[in-house]
Every structure is written in structure tokens, then in C-alpha cells.
Amino acid sequence: MGGSEGTEKARIRLPQLRLDELLEELQARLDAARGTRDRVHSLLEAVLSVGRELDLEQALHSIVEAAAALVDAQYAALGVIGPDGRSLSAFHTVGVTDEQIARIGPYPEGHGILGELIRRPEPLRLTKLSAHSASYGFPPHHPPMNTFLGVPIRVRDQVFGNLYLTEKRGGVQFDEEDEAVLSTLAVAAGVAIDNARLYEDSRLRERWLQANAEITHNLMSGGAHTEVLRLIADRARENTGAALALVATPMGDTDSLTVELAVGQGAEAHRGLVLPVDGSLMGHAFASASPVTSADVSTDERISSVPERFGGLGPAVGVPIGSRADGVRGVVLLVRETGRTPFTDKEIEPLRGFAAQAAVAMELAERRQDAEEIAVLKDRDRIARDLHDLAIQRLFATGMTLQSAGRRIANEEAAERVVRAVDDLDETIKIIRSTIFGLRAREDGAGSGLRSRTVRVVGEAAQVLGFAPSIRMEGLVDTDVPREIADDVIAVLSEALTNVARHARAGRADVVLETDGREVRLTVSDDGVGIPAEGRRSGLRNMAERAEGLGGDLTIDCPGTGGATLAWRVPVSD
């Protein structure tokens, strides 16, 4: 009896154990299904969140954040592959603080494991990152990382970049499901990046069109030449994200360009600078009538001999204003900050179209100005003709009448007055004839202005110095400086550069010519041995006498560190 009861209880317990196992298995499957459902839901939310972004930079940051959340990674990054296809041009991170980034140093360029994904764009999952043959290790102050999951992002069948995830939370490994989820996100990310790029391109095209319309309207409504150049520089700088924009135009009768306008970072150091067409970056763009790029202006040999003018700046592009067929009217130089991406063909093409359109608008404005000048000249010719044909003839006839009448006047005093009146009429006729000549004379100013003469003198001095001095000119030096004072300026400049060549043993010289309409200032500085106390001073005395004779002065500064600075200043207006 007892044995049968024990057997019966055992039969009841066995099904109960099986039922518990089945219930536990069912619960596990329900939990797994719930987890899968939640993960799919999170993936869909991430895809929707990423797809809503139209700003490219914000879209990239959203992708990195979504990737880290989906696979529960402590650190995540998105590396954008550069134009060369072998290195990273941008790096977006999550999980690393700004302080840590500052201690680690520059962002990676795409070597080691990161480069492995660039070379082989397919998912890569590692249990220990340092064990891979391509691993280079980490720089100092880099947080430790072991587990790794990497997935490429493709945009229209082209690899845009890679997602890098490390250190799955809880000390567990990334699994196949993590890889599948991340690969799905990468597909959505590719679509989002493509949409953001298209939106960005359309907005950029719209901005270029608005800029062209603004420049054309300004020119056609009679805007000043300087205002138009400023518009060109401002809009080009804004649309390309440049820190500095320069506009240089050719100087008549010289092989040089002058920087008429500079806006942005360090602009003051560039305004009025004179650059040779041969050998300079802007000169190359002007002569070739095609864009010229530089990866780093601070080390480019085609940049001026004073590279500190470009401190903190890096990538640059020079774009001609106009074409070889229609004539190049100038050059726009755009420079980005150090560390920014170089200018790409995709960016240069609309910029080139913008510059060409600006050249057309400038051409139309010049034609309108020429028509106005012709109208003025015609009016002057009419006035001169009227003075000659009417006024002079009538004055001459009046003088003849007075002469004839004077012979019949008996009173000597009255006769003498008539003679004086005739003489006054003769003098008046001479004055009117001189005025007519002035109205009809065409001023031949090619190469005779102070600006052009200054460039020629500096160019001639370069052969004796062994190097080309830098030149910077500001203000209306051709308009505000009278011819007689301009002659003195040229004489002083020639004497100063000759002294540098003979005595200074310098490797660099800078010439600055500027006027504000009240006075003209010429500054010549060098990095030579200075001016010895016992040296000959006849040349300096001549320069000082020229300045004093015009109501100005000459100052010379010789700092203890070497070199000398000569400053010659005279007034140009009362």
C-alpha cells in the first residue's frame, strides 16, 4: 500500500517539474520576444529620428548617438572619409568629454583599426581590439577600449564613413544581433546623409543665386566699385565658410596685383598689399584664369614673404573674377581656419560660376560708366566749342573795336585806359584758350600714378636687394597726393631702398604707402643690422629736408633687436 502511494506521488511530481521547465522556457521566450520588440521599436525610433535631420552636422551627431544607444556602447564615433579615400576628414564622437579630447590630442586620421574599415568596408566585430593585427594601440590619456564593432555607412553605393562602437556596457561582447541592428541603422544613416547633402546643396545654390542678384542690382543701380568688391568678398566668405576673403585687382602698366579689399580674420594685414603676378598664389589664379588651391597657406611658397599674416589659417582657394576669353578682372582668395577641410571641386564649381557672374556685372557697370564719361566729354567739347566760336570771337572783336577807337581819343589818360582794357581782353582770351585746352585734353594716366610708380621702384630695387620687398598701399594715393608731392615720395622711397641694399644686409623689407586725404605716409622697414651711429647720413638728411620743406617730418626707429624703420610723413591738404 505504502509502495503504491509513493509511486503515485512520483508520477504527480514529474509532470509538475516538466510544467515548471516549460513555463520558464515560455517566460524566457516571452522576455526575448519582448526584448526583440523593444529593440525593433528603438531601431525604428532611431531611424525616424535620424531621417528627420536636414542639417548634415546635426544628422551625423544624431547617428552616433543613436548607434551608441541601440547597442548599449559606452563609446561611439563616426569617421567621415576624406576626398582622398584613404583618411578621415572629420570625426564625431559620443562618450568622450571635451576635457578628455583635449588631453588625447588631434582626432585620428584613419590608421590602425579605423583604417582597416576604410580599406575593407564591411562589418568588423572584435572581442579584444588590441589583439587585431592592424591595431596600433592608443595615444596617452585615451580611455581603455576592448570590445569593438565597426560598420560602414554607404551613400549611393559610395562609402561615406564608418561607425565605430567600443565597450559594450555590462562587460559583455557585441553579438550578431548588435551587428545586424547597427547595419540596419547604417542603411538609414546613408539615406539621411544623402537627404541632408541634397538639402544643403539646394540651400547653397539658392544663396549663390541671391548673392549674384544682389551684386548685379548693386552694380546696375550705381553702387561704388569698393562696395561691389566688398559684396563679392562677403558673400563668397559666407557661402564657403571661409575665415578670410581677399579681392585683388590688376594694377595698370605693372605685372602686379593689389589687394583692394580684405574682410575677416586678420584683414588689416592684407589691405593694400601689392603682389607679383609671377610666383604668388593669387597671381597664378590670375594668369591661368583658373582656380588654384592650397592645402595650407602658412607653408605655401606661393604666399607672401610674411606668412604670419595668415596665422591660424590653413586651406585656401584663389578664384579668378572673369575668364581668359573675356579677360580676368581680379582674383578672390578665400582662406579657412587651420584644421578645416580643404576646398573641394564640388565647392569650387559654384564659386567659379559666382565669380564669372560678378565679372559680367562689373563689365556692364564699366560700360555704363564709360557711356557716362563719353557724355561728359561730349559736353566738355560743346562748351569748349562754344567758348572758342562765340566768346573768344566776340572778345577779339571788342578788342579790335577798342583799339580802333583808342587811336581817335585825344585825352591821353582816356587813351591809356582803353589800351589797358585791350590788354585785359587779350589776357582774358589767353585764359579762355587755356581753359579750352584743359577741357579738350585727354589725361594719359597709364602708368603715371603714384601707385604704379611705387610698384616699379620696388620692382627695380628687388634686383639690387636680392629679394622682393612686400608692398602695401592704402587710401586714394593717386587722387589725394599731388604730383609734386608724389615725386618726392618716389625719390624718398628710392633712396630708402638703396640704403637698405647698400648697408642693411637685410633679408626682408616692407614698404607701406598710405594716405587719409590729409597726409601721406611712407614707411620702409627691414630686418637688417640697423643704422650705425657713425654711418654716413647724407641720404637721411636729404629725406628729412624734403619732408621739412613740405611741412612734414622724418622719423627713424632702430630697435635693439635689429632692423630699422623709416617713416616719412607730409601733409597733402591745407
Side-chain angles (χ1 to χ4, degrees):
M1 188 73 178
S4 62
E5 288 181 1
T7 303
E8 187 65 26
K9 288 179 179 180
R11 288 175 180 172
I12 293 172
R13 194 181 300 115
L14 185 60
Q16 184 67 40
L17 289 172
R18 289 178 177 172
L19 181 60
D20 289 342
E21 290 176 0
L22 289 173
L23 288 173
E24 288 177 1
E25 183 178 350
L26 179 60
Q27 184 63 43
R29 291 188 178 184
L30 287 172
D31 291 341
R34 189 179 296 110
T36 301
R37 183 199 65 190
D38 292 344
R39 197 162 198 185
V40 169
H41 183 68
S42 298
L43 177 60
L44 289 174
E45 282 187 342
V47 169
L48 291 173
S49 174
V50 166
R52 280 194 295 265
E53 294 293 346
L54 288 177
D55 180 78
L56 182 58
E57 291 297 312
Q58 189 58 45
L60 296 177
H61 191 71
S62 298
I63 292 167
V64 182
E65 289 183 330
L70 282 174
V71 298
D72 203 21
Q74 185 175 352
Y75 305 108
L78 191 159
V80 180
I81 298 175
D84 60 2
R86 299 187 301 272
S87 60
L88 298 177
S89 61
F91 204 70
H92 303 265
T93 62
V94 166
V96 185
T97 64
D98 292 339
E99 291 78 9
Q100 286 176 306
I101 293 172
R103 287 198 302 270
I104 294 170
Y107 281 123
E109 297 179 356
H111 304 298
I113 293 295
L114 306 187
E116 183 71 15
L117 269 172
I118 296 175
R119 291 185 293 272
R120 297 181 179 85
E122 53 190 40
L124 177 63
R125 185 157 41 95
L126 303 173
T127 57
K128 192 167 183 61
L129 198 153
S130 60
H132 195 278
S133 59
S135 178
Y136 279 8
F138 297 109
H141 309 294
H142 197 287
M145 296 179 180
N146 291 300
T147 55
F148 175 86
L149 176 59
V151 173
I153 297 176
R154 287 181 169 83
V155 177
R156 298 193 180 191
D157 297 327
Q158 297 291 324
V159 179
F160 172 83
N162 296 299
L163 279 170
Y164 308 109
L165 289 300
T166 60
E167 292 300 288
K168 187 175 176 68
R169 299 182 191 278
V172 296
Q173 303 293 323
F174 292 109
D175 55 24
E176 292 181 1
E177 189 174 337
D178 292 325
E179 183 179 319
V181 168
L182 200 61
S183 297
T184 303
L185 177 67
V187 174
V191 175
I193 290 169
D194 192 32
N195 288 338
R197 276 177 160 180
L198 291 173
Y199 178 74
E200 192 175 77
D201 289 347
S202 66
R203 290 294 303 274
L204 186 59
R205 280 194 297 271
E206 182 182 354
R207 290 198 296 271
W208 282 123
L209 289 173
Q210 288 176 346
N212 275 323
E214 188 177 1
I215 289 169
T216 303
H217 177 268
N218 194 286
L219 280 167
M220 294 298 100
S221 60
H225 181 71
T226 304
E227 290 179 15
V228 175
L229 293 182
R230 178 172 290 279
L231 264 179
I232 293 173
D234 282 338
R235 298 301 174 262
R237 186 169 68 98
E238 291 168 5
N239 291 347
T240 59
L244 173 67
L246 309 178
V247 178
T249 55
M251 295 182 61
D253 200 36
T254 69
D255 292 328
S256 302
L257 302 173
T258 179
V259 178
E260 285 203 37
L261 197 78
V263 291
Q265 182 176 325
E268 295 78 11
H270 299 272
R271 292 193 187 104
L273 193 67
V274 176
L275 306 169
V277 171
D278 186 20
S280 67
L281 189 145
M282 296 183 81
H284 187 185
F286 179 82
S288 63
S290 60
V292 178
T293 59
S294 173
D296 188 356
V297 290
S298 63
T299 59
D300 198 313
E301 295 179 353
R302 297 169 296 179
I303 295 300
S304 164
S305 60
V306 191
E308 55 264 28
R309 289 193 180 97
F310 292 94
L313 299 174
V317 60
V319 179
I321 302 175
S323 63
R324 188 182 297 278
D326 301 324
V328 179
R329 299 181 171 274
V331 178
V332 179
L333 180 71
L334 300 168
V335 193
R336 286 176 174 159
E337 294 176 337
T338 301
R340 293 285 304 279
T341 56
F343 288 88
T344 63
D345 292 340
K346 186 179 179 181
E347 293 176 300
I348 294 173
E349 196 56 38
L351 176 59
R352 189 174 186 175
F354 165 73
Q357 185 68 24
V360 172
M362 291 171 72
E363 172 76 16
L364 291 174
E366 287 182 10
R367 292 290 175 267
R368 188 197 62 197
Q369 186 177 357
D370 289 345
E372 292 174 354
E373 289 180 357
I374 289 172
V376 170
L377 291 174
K378 285 182 177 179
D379 202 36
R380 286 182 176 181
D381 284 343
R382 180 187 60 77
I383 294 170
R385 187 171 58 252
D386 289 347
L387 285 173
H388 182 272
D389 295 344
L390 301 176
I392 288 182
Q393 298 303 325
R394 298 188 71 171
L395 287 172
F396 187 76
T398 302
M400 293 289 291
T401 302
L402 286 174
Q403 268 187 330
S404 177
R407 297 190 189 101
R408 295 182 174 86
I409 297 175
N411 187 297
E412 292 184 6
E413 185 178 350
E416 186 178 343
R417 287 184 178 182
V418 170
V419 170
R420 283 202 302 269
V422 172
D423 290 341
D424 287 342
L425 285 175
D426 285 341
E427 190 63 30
T428 302
I429 291 172
K430 290 179 183 178
I431 293 173
I432 293 176
R433 280 177 172 164
S434 177
T435 303
I436 293 171
F437 178 78
L439 286 171
R440 287 178 168 171
R442 301 293 180 87
E443 183 181 357
D444 183 16
S448 62
L450 178 55
R451 189 180 292 266
S452 299
R453 295 170 69 190
T454 300
V455 173
R456 280 200 296 272
V457 169
V458 173
E460 292 166 1
Q463 301 175 10
V464 182
L465 289 166
F467 58 87
S470 70
I471 323 172
R472 182 163 60 88
M473 288 184 271
E474 292 188 16
L476 303 175
V477 295
D478 285 337
T479 304
D480 291 341
V481 182
R483 177 76 188 201
E484 59 274 11
I485 295 179
D487 292 340
D488 284 304
V489 171
I490 293 300
V492 171
L493 174 60
S494 179
E495 180 73 24
L497 291 175
T498 301
N499 287 344
V500 172
R502 288 178 178 173
H503 312 298
R505 299 200 295 274
R508 169 183 145 192
D510 300 311
V511 175
V512 178
L513 177 62
E514 51 192 345
T515 182
D516 56 5
R518 295 186 297 273
E519 64 178 20
V520 60
R521 296 176 294 278
L522 173 66
T523 306
V524 180
S525 56
D526 65 78
D527 62 352
V529 297
I531 301 175
E534 68 281 0
R536 293 180 59 189
R537 304 221 165 210
S538 57
L540 297 176
R541 186 165 54 252
N542 291 338
M543 291 186 238
E545 289 174 356
R546 284 180 182 273
E548 291 167 2
L550 296 169
D553 57 53
L554 170 73
T555 58
I556 300 170
D557 181 28
C558 296
T561 55
T565 299
L566 178 148
W568 190 85
R569 179 191 63 83
V570 298
V572 294
S573 62
D574 297 332

